[in-house]
Amino acid sequence: MRHKIANFLHFTKRERNGTVVLLLLMIVVYALPNLFLWLKPIPKSDFTKFQAAVQAWDGARGAESQTKEPLEAILSMFDPNLATKEDFMAMGLPEKVAGTICNYRNKGGKFKKSEDFKKIWGLDAADFERLQPYISFEPKMEAVAKEVALKPPPESFAFDPNTVSAEAMQRLGLPKRTVKSITDWQEKGWRFKTKEDFKKLYTLEEEDYVRLESQITIAPVTPTTYADAPRPATYAGGSSATKKYTNIVLVDINRSPVEAWMMLPGIGEKRAAQIVNVREKFGGFISIDQVSEIYGLPDSIFQKIKPHLQFESKEIRKINLNTVEPEDLAKHPYFSKKQAFRITDYRKQHGDFSSLNDLSKLIALGDAAWLARVMPYLSVE
């Protein structure tokens, strides 16, 4: 076996010579291209014409720069939060730096002190030192005087925060955010019982309350405002608490405010506000029994207040299925978010609803009992 392997790897003299010649030929073939490049002289390029053209162009630029007068910087007091791009360029800043400043402000940036202006990218230290004495964050006196002139002085008159209008509150000199807080309070059916309640508004400034305190007049709520019928003399509102009543209250379920609901047995301020809020989400009650559906209202309480409830106002705020957005429809207590999107998706695919009966075509929407409950709140106009 050893001899067979040795014979296989053995080369004759002729084979060895052929291998050497083949290697030499390969080296020569590989080296020939490089040898030709080395032997061939490289032609020299003539750049005299190009250099002459460059020199002529440089000379023309130099002459133009010498004849062009440099712009004189106009320095004056400025607010870096208000100055325009043209203002910065007039003060001697490059156009690129002026644009950087404006872009910084457009993205929400604000200069609070002069050192903040120094941090602008591309602003030379020499330019900052030159402009720093002119940086001012004081408001322009002309704008302040104009604002004061346009704003009328506050009036003085008695008002009830539970009924005062937004226009009257503006005449009293209350800021817009305070006016909105009071109107939101009124819309939710809540009530200021004392001046201290009014003082607790988080948007009301202390100085405004001191100025208006003597003008606040809160009218007491009397049961005769809602009805004149007699009611039980007492009602036990809890295990130990007892409320005293002098008159029975007949509450219109769709019109009565929070104060009227509070005069019913077992209904406190929070529960009364909850009932009114749910009523607004529904767009109005369609029956007295619907009040019992309110979450957290015990049936025992509902049975006690049911004789005092009236269904006189039957105006319901309806939802137009052909225009309502899914987010708004999902706010109604009878519609889930999934149902709202199914209805609007069906409208997009098949066009506007021609009648409310088209809802029955949406098989997965709800059963017949659910459709009967929601129909009074819908329209296709």
Side-chain angles (χ1 to χ4, degrees):
M1 182 69 182
R2 184 187 306 173
H3 296 291
K4 288 182 179 180
I5 296 175
N7 293 334
F8 179 75
L9 298 176
H10 177 72
F11 290 94
T12 63
K13 182 177 180 181
R14 184 177 180 182
E15 290 173 341
R16 290 195 298 272
N17 293 336
T19 302
V20 172
V21 172
L22 180 62
L23 289 174
L24 292 175
L25 287 175
M26 292 175 61
I27 294 172
V28 171
V29 171
Y30 178 77
L32 277 178
N34 295 326
L35 181 63
F36 288 146
L37 290 176
W38 181 70
L39 294 176
K40 184 178 180 181
I42 301 175
K44 296 183 178 180
S45 301
D46 186 6
F47 294 101
T48 55
K49 294 183 179 181
F50 177 74
Q51 290 175 350
V54 171
Q55 291 175 358
W57 183 72
D58 288 340
R61 284 189 60 194
E64 181 181 357
S65 61
Q66 291 177 1
T67 57
K68 186 177 180 181
E69 296 181 359
L71 294 176
E72 182 179 357
I74 303 174
L75 299 179
S76 61
M77 301 300 294
F78 71 97
D79 186 342
N81 293 311
L82 301 175
T84 63
K85 181 178 180 180
E86 291 73 18
D87 294 336
F88 290 122
M89 294 175 62
M91 287 184 281
L93 291 181
E95 181 179 1
K96 186 175 181 180
V97 176
T100 302
I101 298 172
C102 296
N103 291 335
Y104 169 76
R105 295 186 320 201
N106 294 337
K107 293 180 180 179
K110 188 175 182 180
F111 301 100
K112 297 181 180 180
K113 52 186 179 180
S114 59
E115 287 72 15
D116 295 340
F117 190 70
K118 185 179 181 180
K119 300 176 182 178
I120 287 297
W121 178 263
L123 180 66
D124 291 338
D127 286 332
F128 174 74
E129 295 295 335
R130 178 172 57 88
L131 298 177
Q132 186 179 17
Y134 299 93
I135 298 176
S136 174
F137 295 95
E138 297 181 0
K140 295 182 179 180
M141 297 305 298
E142 297 82 358
V144 175
K146 184 177 180 181
E147 182 179 357
V148 173
L150 293 176
K151 186 177 181 180
E155 301 181 24
S156 179
F157 53 85
F159 70 96
D160 186 343
N162 293 311
T163 58
V164 65
S165 64
E167 184 270 336
M169 286 186 280
Q170 292 175 356
R171 287 166 48 204
L172 288 168
L174 292 175
K176 291 183 179 180
R177 61 172 187 166
T178 306
V179 173
K180 187 178 186 304
S181 296
I182 297 174
T183 53
D184 289 345
W185 186 279
Q186 294 172 347
E187 290 174 359
K188 292 178 180 178
W190 298 340
R191 179 176 177 81
F192 299 101
K193 297 180 180 179
T194 62
K195 293 182 180 181
E196 286 69 23
D197 293 341
F198 184 71
K199 184 179 181 180
K200 293 177 182 178
L201 280 174
Y202 71 94
T203 58
L204 181 66
E205 299 293 341
E206 178 68 23
E207 57 184 16
D208 286 331
Y209 175 77
V210 173
R211 177 173 57 86
L212 299 174
E213 182 180 9
S214 61
Q215 304 169 31
I216 301 174
T217 56
I218 300 178
V221 178
T222 58
T224 55
T225 304
Y226 310 108
D228 297 323
R231 70 174 298 167
T234 61
Y235 163 72
S239 58
S240 59
T242 300
K243 284 185 179 180
K244 293 185 178 181
Y245 300 95
T246 56
N247 292 324
I248 192 170
V249 175
L250 297 179
V251 174
D252 184 347
I253 59 175
N254 280 334
R255 285 187 177 177
S256 296
V258 172
E259 292 79 14
W261 289 91
M262 289 173 58
M263 306 196 69
L264 296 176
I267 304 297
E269 182 178 358
K270 290 185 179 180
R271 184 164 285 166
Q274 179 192 14
I275 294 173
V276 173
N277 289 337
V278 172
R279 182 182 69 192
E280 292 304 313
K281 290 181 180 179
F282 271 118
F285 293 120
I286 58 176
S287 69
I288 291 178
D289 290 335
Q290 193 178 14
V291 177
S292 65
E293 300 178 10
I294 295 178
Y295 178 79
L297 180 65
D299 183 67
S300 58
I301 299 297
F302 172 71
Q303 296 302 327
K304 289 180 180 179
I305 68 174
K306 186 175 180 180
H308 311 308
L309 303 181
Q310 298 183 90
F311 185 37
E312 292 185 350
S313 177
K314 301 180 181 178
E315 297 179 0
I316 305 298
R317 187 173 66 252
K318 295 195 175 186
I319 301 171
N320 190 343
L321 290 179
N322 291 327
T323 59
V324 68
E325 295 296 329
E327 295 81 6
D328 297 330
L329 184 57
K331 294 178 182 178
H332 195 281
Y334 282 165
F335 289 89
S336 65
K337 187 175 182 180
K338 186 176 182 180
Q339 290 172 322
F341 275 92
R342 281 182 176 174
I343 290 174
T344 54
D345 289 344
Y346 180 87
R347 183 183 69 199
K348 293 177 182 178
Q349 295 174 3
H350 302 277
D352 290 349
F353 292 94
S354 58
S355 68
L356 295 179
N357 293 329
D358 292 342
L359 285 179
S360 59
K361 299 177 182 178
L362 282 73
I363 300 176
L365 193 61
D367 55 16
W370 178 83
L371 288 173
R373 284 199 303 169
V374 302
M375 286 294 188
Y377 292 103
L378 304 177
S379 72
V380 293
E381 298 178 0

